[in-house]
Amino acid sequence: MKTIPFIDLKAQYQAIKDPIQQRIQTVLEHGQFIMGPEVEELEQKLNAFTGTKHCLAVASGTDAAVVAMMAMGIGPGDEVICPAFSFIATAETVVLVGATPVYVDIDPCTFNLDVRQLEKALSEKTKAIQPVSLYGQPAEMDEINAFAKKHELRVIEDAAQSFGATYKGKRSCNLSEVGVTSFFPAKPLGGYGDGGAIFTNDDGLAEAMREVRVHGQKSRYYHTRIGVNARLDTLQCAILIPKLERFSWELEQRDRVAARYNKEFKELEAKGVLLPLLAPNRTSAWAQYTLQMAKREEFQKFMQTNGVPTAVHYPRTMPDQPAYTELGRTMNIEVSRKMAETVVSLPLYPDMTDDQQDYVIEQTIKFFHKS
Ligand SMILES: *Cc1c(COP(=O)(O)O)cnc(C)c1O
């Protein structure tokens, strides 16, 4: 029996050990641990990568969305529409700024916000939409932006899982008024700790967000807004710079692994397994490779016994979480609830070898042939 990691960050570290250690060393020697030169260097490189005008490195993906919404003035009395099926931070950030989440269903093919549900969710109080580009695939951003424009809503793309993905040739994070992402270690572009970034092409909003990021400070000890402390450490920025240099190669590898899974699992469709689908005109960052199946629990046990970890993203919708049941407004979310019972993700990482993947494929197919 083999043992496969769910993701392998050690192989990645071995490949870029020298530049990472040099970068860390440089920071230790110059000693500017907060807002040191690596922060701006990373922000510029991230702008070049996404094609955006402004980037702000922040302490987490959660902070990224909070800072964006605070700078936009979203707060008590406002409603923010989001998909019911996502990591909890999508709803949590709305609640943290004092606004009310309004949950709409997802499209069963892409796992992303079903734009046909937007109209029904609209109210006098609707202020913004926070679509999620789940599992790495960008949401229907053109349709969402058009709807937002018509109803004068703000749009925050939660691109925590889709950094590096493209939509009609443009990068995720550069698909709406503002895009937010996460550098949590397991995300497509991960640091060695928490981190995140905000992207926009709007000069005024960028300035407001820069102030919010540092206690609402316009100039030293002069506070024109209520802010937070959401800066990203210089050390994390220094680590992310060499990681970003390898990132395009990693995206290709993620694509390679996902394409191979899709090819080899085609035969499982006859057994009722649904494979992840990409909508036209987009690429995925493949944060997760996620199947849908009825016998999930049995499958997970079988895989675990055979050395293959699997994971469920996510076992409950956000409005069905205990702390959220009394908050917000929930539309019909039957697809989301079904997904919560059927989705299961397999190991996928850029440094996955053919041998490792062969083993995951072999075990997966074995389960469906024996049952
Ligand atoms: C990870 C994640 C976040 C939050 O990012 P953190 O860096 O962990 O704060 C937000 N939204 C989604 C969809 C995520 O997957």
Side-chain angles (χ1 to χ4, degrees), residues 60-62 86-87 89-90 132 134 158 160-161 182 184 187 194-195 314:
S60 69
T62 306
S86 179
F87 177 58
T90 306
V132 181
L134 202 72
D158 180 343
Q161 301 186 5
S182 165
F184 180 82
K187 305 282 164 136
D194 280 309
Y314 299 89

Side-chain angles (χ1 to χ4, degrees), residues 76-120:
D78 297 332
E79 289 185 348
V80 179
I81 300 174
C82 47
F85 190 68
S86 179
F87 177 58
I88 198 65
T90 306
E92 184 184 45
T93 50
V94 174
V95 175
L96 281 173
V97 298
T100 302
V102 175
Y103 305 99
V104 298
D105 215 350
I106 55 167
D107 179 307
C109 294
T110 62
F111 304 104
N112 284 329
L113 190 150
D114 183 349
V115 290
R116 292 166 303 183
Q117 312 298 320
L118 285 172
E119 196 81 48
K120 276 177 261 170

Side-chain angles (χ1 to χ4, degrees), residues 172-190:
S172 182
C173 291
N174 187 17
L175 303 176
S176 57
E177 184 181 8
V178 60
V180 298
T181 197
S182 165
F183 302 133
F184 180 82
K187 305 282 164 136
L189 179 63

Side-chain angles (χ1 to χ4, degrees), residues 139-368:
E140 298 288 339
M141 296 306 291
D142 278 358
E143 287 81 352
I144 292 167
N145 287 329
F147 182 89
K149 195 169 175 202
K150 185 171 161 205
H151 298 282
E152 294 181 43
L153 310 175
R154 322 293 299 256
V155 180
I156 304 117
E157 183 199 7
D158 180 343
Q161 301 186 5
S162 60
F163 190 74
T166 59
Y167 174 86
K168 301 184 182 174
K170 270 170 96 178
R171 293 282 184 193
S172 182
C173 291
N174 187 17
L175 303 176
S176 57
E177 184 181 8
V178 60
V180 298
T181 197
S182 165
F183 302 133
F184 180 82
K187 305 282 164 136
L189 179 63
Y192 290 157
D194 280 309
I198 315 174
F199 298 85
T200 186
N201 294 311
D202 182 319
D203 298 344
L205 181 60
E207 194 188 326
M209 295 192 299
R210 276 184 203 288
E211 290 172 18
V212 173
R213 176 174 66 174
V214 191
H215 305 291
Q217 174 170 287
K218 193 163 190 70
S219 54
R220 197 166 171 82
Y221 302 136
Y222 184 65
H223 306 271
T224 50
R225 304 169 177 275
I226 305 299
V228 287
N229 173 3
R231 297 170 299 230
L232 183 57
D233 291 346
T234 310
L235 268 174
Q236 286 302 338
C237 294
I239 289 161
L240 283 160
I241 292 166
K243 288 225 184 191
L244 183 60
E245 273 162 30
R246 191 181 194 249
F247 189 58
S248 293
W249 176 84
E250 290 191 352
L251 285 170
E252 284 168 25
Q253 299 309 307
R254 286 177 179 278
D255 239 1
R256 170 186 65 83
V257 175
R260 183 136 179 268
Y261 273 148
N262 272 349
K263 180 167 165 277
E264 300 293 334
F265 292 154
K266 198 80 197 151
E267 61 168 287
L268 296 181
E269 287 180 332
K271 303 258 177 192
V273 176
L274 295 179
L275 310 186
L277 284 179
L278 289 190
N281 299 318
R282 68 202 79 180
T283 61
S284 176
W286 295 107
Q288 306 299 344
Y289 180 85
T290 305
L291 300 172
Q292 293 169 60
M293 62 182 70
K295 289 186 225 162
R296 179 174 75 189
E297 215 173 307
E298 236 183 284
F299 173 73
Q300 287 196 281
K301 262 190 210 135
F302 175 85
M303 296 299 273
Q304 188 63 49
T305 311
N306 289 287
V308 182
T310 58
V312 173
H313 309 97
Y314 299 89
R316 269 170 195 271
T317 70
M318 296 189 295
D320 290 330
Q321 293 290 349
Y324 288 77
T325 51
E326 307 286 309
L327 298 168
R329 255 188 329 115
T330 306
M331 313 304 290
N332 178 349
I333 57 159
E334 63 186 322
V335 176
S336 302
R337 287 191 171 123
K338 178 161 179 255
M339 293 297 166
E341 284 172 7
T342 57
V343 293
V344 56
S345 308
L346 295 182
L348 184 153
Y349 42 91
D351 294 279
M352 192 169 204
T353 63
D354 282 347
D355 267 6
Q356 289 174 319
Q357 194 177 11
D358 284 344
Y359 184 73
V360 177
I361 292 166
E362 187 193 306
Q363 295 306 314
T364 304
I365 290 177
K366 202 164 138 193
F367 172 80
F368 285 99

